Amino acid sequence: ENVDNGDIATYHIVGPDETDAQRGWISIDAPLARAMLKKRVDDEFEAQLPAGPVRFAVVAIDYPA
């Protein structure tokens, strides 16, 4: 969840060769993915995005089969 505006998005962290922005699949090398690593539900973190820093909160974590 974007803490500033409440928007919620789902992301899949994938290898660099599997990236697909339309599907929400972001590379493990992306700044947002790096900022998400090792976070737990209810953790807040800041990611340095091209438009500037953005604060996020983890609302769920899922490991689909």
Side-chain angles (χ1 to χ4, degrees):
E1 175 182 3
N2 182 318
V3 174
D4 296 329
N5 63 21
D7 287 348
I8 294 179
T10 300
Y11 297 101
H12 295 267
I13 299 174
V14 297
D17 58 334
E18 300 172 297
T19 304
D20 185 343
Q22 297 254 336
R23 295 171 69 184
W25 293 14
I26 59 174
S27 169
I28 188 76
D29 299 325
L32 180 56
R34 288 194 314 259
M36 277 191 248
L37 292 178
K38 299 185 180 180
K39 300 301 184 277
R40 298 173 187 231
V41 173
D42 295 329
D43 282 355
E44 290 191 9
F45 63 94
E46 184 173 282
Q48 287 294 94
L49 303 181
V54 179
R55 297 219 25 98
F56 293 93
V58 179
V59 295
I61 299 173
D62 184 28
Y63 297 95

